[in-house]
Amino acid sequence: MASTDRHPEDENAGPGQEVGELVGRLTASGELEPAERRRLLGRLTRALSEGAAKAGKSGVGRGRWLADVFLNIAPRIPIRDLHTLSQHHHGLTGEELADDLVRNAMKATMTVGAIGGALAAAEFAAPPLLLSAPAQLVAETIVVAAIEVKLLAELHEVYGVHVEGTGTQRAVAFTAAWARQRGIDPLAPASVTLALGAATKTALRNRLMRVLGRHLTTLGPFLTGAVAGGTLNRMATKKLGAAIRGDLRIKGPLPSGETPRPLSP
C-alpha cells in the first residue's frame, strides 16, 4: 500500500533540507530494510557532522544548535490522520490502535539505538575513528526524537485531541509537548501559539541533550553498545507512550466512545 502520510508544509528549504528529508524517510510508516536504515543513518550522520562543524566555528553551543536543527526538521516529520492510521494498522481503533502505535515506536527507537550503539561500539574498538562517534550519536538522537514526536502527534489523533494551526505550527506544538513529555491541552490555545517561547526552547534543548547523554552511554566495546542503545531507547519510548496516553485520556475521549483501559505491559 502506498504511504498516505501527511507532511506539514515544507517551509524549510536550504542547507538543512537534506537532514529534514532523511529524517522524514527514517520516520515514515512501513518497515525499512536494515541495510537501508544504516545507509540513511550514515547519510544523516555526514550531513549533521557538517552542520555541527559550522556551528562550532560560529560559537553556537551544541545544545542550542541541536534544538535549532530539530525545530527546522520538525515540520517534515510525517504525521498520519486517524483514518490513515487505522488503515495502516489493519483496521484497529481506540486503545488497540494506541497499543500498536506505541509498540511500533518502541521497536523503531530500539532498532535505531541498536544500530547507533553498534556503530559507536565499532568506533570504540578502533581508536583512530573515535572522533566521528559523536556525530553518529547526534544522528541517532535526532531520529529517536522524531520517532517519539511522531508517536505523540499520532496518539493525539487516536484520542481525538485535535490541535489547530498550520502544519508548521502543529509540528512545533507537538515538539514542545514532547520536550515536556506531556499531551497538548486543546482548550489552551497558548500551548500552540506560544510554543516557540524561550521556556519551550530551553525545555527542548534540555530534552534533546538528555537523550544525547543517554546515547553516550552506548559507547562501549563490541556489542555492548548495541544492546544498551536498543534497550534504553525502548524503555524511554514506552515511558513516553504511557505518559501521553494518560494525559490524553483526560483531555479528550476516544473517538469511538470506548472506555479507556490501562496500558498493556
Side-chain angles (χ1 to χ4, degrees), residues 129-148:
L129 299 178
L130 184 59
L131 290 177
S132 66
Q136 295 167 358
L137 298 184
V138 169
E140 179 185 348
T141 296
I142 290 288
V143 174
V144 167
I147 291 170
E148 291 189 344

Side-chain angles (χ1 to χ4, degrees), residues 2-264:
S3 172
T4 55
D5 290 352
R6 171 165 48 83
H7 293 256
E9 295 100 324
D10 183 358
E11 299 173 359
N12 297 305
Q17 183 172 351
E18 182 184 12
V19 171
E21 291 175 350
L22 289 169
V23 171
R25 291 173 65 181
L26 283 161
T27 56
S29 59
E31 291 284 341
L32 277 176
E33 292 294 328
E36 176 66 3
R37 190 181 295 275
R38 288 189 181 89
R39 187 183 72 80
L40 292 174
L41 277 171
R43 285 182 57 192
L44 180 61
T45 296
R46 289 190 293 274
L48 289 170
S49 181
E50 294 173 3
K54 292 179 182 178
K57 290 179 181 178
S58 67
V60 178
R62 171 168 289 185
R64 178 182 164 190
W65 170 78
L66 192 57
D68 287 344
V69 168
F70 197 81
L71 285 171
N72 187 53
I73 61 96
R76 298 175 183 273
I77 300 172
I79 308 302
R80 295 167 290 182
D81 59 25
L82 182 60
H83 176 71
T84 303
L85 283 168
S86 186
Q87 282 188 323
H88 286 182
H89 290 265
H90 311 290
L92 293 177
T93 60
E95 295 285 1
E96 290 184 344
L97 176 55
D99 284 343
D100 221 30
L101 288 178
V102 173
R103 277 193 297 266
N104 285 357
M106 288 167 58
K107 180 180 178 181
T109 59
M110 181 175 67
T111 300
V112 172
I115 291 174
L119 289 171
E123 302 292 355
F124 187 90
L129 299 178
L130 184 59
L131 290 177
S132 66
Q136 295 167 358
L137 298 184
V138 169
E140 179 185 348
T141 296
I142 290 288
V143 174
V144 167
I147 291 170
E148 291 189 344
V149 169
K150 178 183 176 74
L151 169 65
L152 181 148
E154 292 182 344
L155 285 174
H156 281 70
E157 290 285 329
V158 173
Y159 285 90
V161 178
H162 299 293
V163 178
E164 301 298 328
T166 66
T168 295
Q169 287 172 334
R170 284 163 46 83
V172 170
F174 289 132
T175 298
W178 173 78
R180 296 187 171 92
Q181 305 282 280
R182 299 294 302 271
I184 295 174
D185 186 349
L187 299 181
S191 63
V192 176
T193 58
L194 300 181
L196 271 178
T200 293
K201 289 183 178 179
T202 298
L204 175 60
R205 181 169 64 248
N206 291 342
R207 176 63 56 185
L208 286 166
M209 292 303 290
R210 193 172 295 124
V211 176
L212 178 61
R214 184 175 79 225
H215 292 159
L216 286 172
T217 65
T218 67
L219 282 171
F222 306 111
L223 293 179
T224 58
V227 173
T231 300
L232 291 174
N233 281 348
R234 181 180 182 280
M235 292 172 60
T237 302
K238 181 178 181 179
K239 181 179 178 181
L240 172 69
I244 299 305
R245 292 175 72 176
D247 267 0
L248 296 180
R249 285 178 177 134
I250 298 172
K251 294 171 180 173
L254 288 163
S256 63
E258 66 178 273
T259 302
R261 57 177 172 71
L263 276 170
S264 57

